[in-house]
Amino acid sequence: DGFDRRIWTIKAQSKHSATFALVDLDGTQGFPGTVDASVTYTLGSNSVWKIRMHATATEKTPIMLSGHHYWNLEAYQETQNLVGHQAEFASSRVIATDGQLIPTGELLNVEGTPLDFRAAKSIGGSINATAPFAYCGDGT
């Protein structure tokens, strides 16, 4: 019963953004503390899509909010080629995972790696370069 399966409430909305909220009560699924979580989606100028996630808890408890967004970037004119698609993420680190993609808690610096999207660059031009790093897991 993860956060992705719950019904979130609309906390705020405007012409260009929507904020959703979820309260996860103390003890849910065995985790301590009541968690207040929110996510805001904003569409800015030049079609810049911003996602802001925030959570607080009444006790120490593990929280790792992430987005698993899947879009049809080619508006149903699919070429299966992402070279012409650009992405930019204001993030200097990513969370390391084991071979089965379970987070280890270690934060990896993206500088000098194919995951460094701090400046806009081609998504498709970076995919093959990630293979040696096993970012998609290796099944062990």
Side-chain angles (χ1 to χ4, degrees), residues 8 11 23 25 34-35 37 40-41 44 66 69 80 92-93 98 101 112-113 116 125:
W8 291 60
K11 184 176 177 181
V23 176
L25 297 176
T34 295
V35 175
T40 301
Y41 299 97
S66 64
H69 304 82
Q80 303 299 312
S92 61
R93 299 184 293 175
D98 66 14
L101 301 180
T113 75
D116 190 351

Side-chain angles (χ1 to χ4, degrees), residues 31-131:
F31 292 103
T34 295
V35 175
D36 285 306
S38 67
V39 60
T40 301
Y41 299 97
T42 304
L43 183 59
S45 60
N46 296 318
S47 298
V48 173
W49 182 251
K50 293 184 180 183
I51 303 168
R52 181 181 181 275
M53 297 178 197
H54 182 77
T56 58
T58 59
E59 297 182 46
K60 282 189 171 187
T61 193
I63 299 173
M64 189 173 81
L65 300 177
S66 64
H68 301 277
H69 304 82
Y70 303 96
W71 296 294
N72 180 336
L73 299 173
E74 297 183 305
Y76 304 104
Q77 298 176 20
E78 298 169 18
T79 64
Q80 303 299 312
N81 182 342
L82 295 176
V83 172
H85 296 282
Q86 304 280 312
E88 180 178 349
F89 305 103
S91 177
S92 61
R93 299 184 293 175
V94 296
I95 299 171
T97 60
D98 66 14
Q100 294 184 349
L101 301 180
I102 305 297
T104 65
E106 180 185 5
L107 296 175
L108 304 175
N109 189 330
V110 299
E111 187 171 351
T113 75
L115 294 183
D116 190 351
F117 279 87
R118 291 175 294 170
K121 68 176 187 175
S122 167
I123 297 169
S126 300
I127 291 173
N128 290 339
T130 67

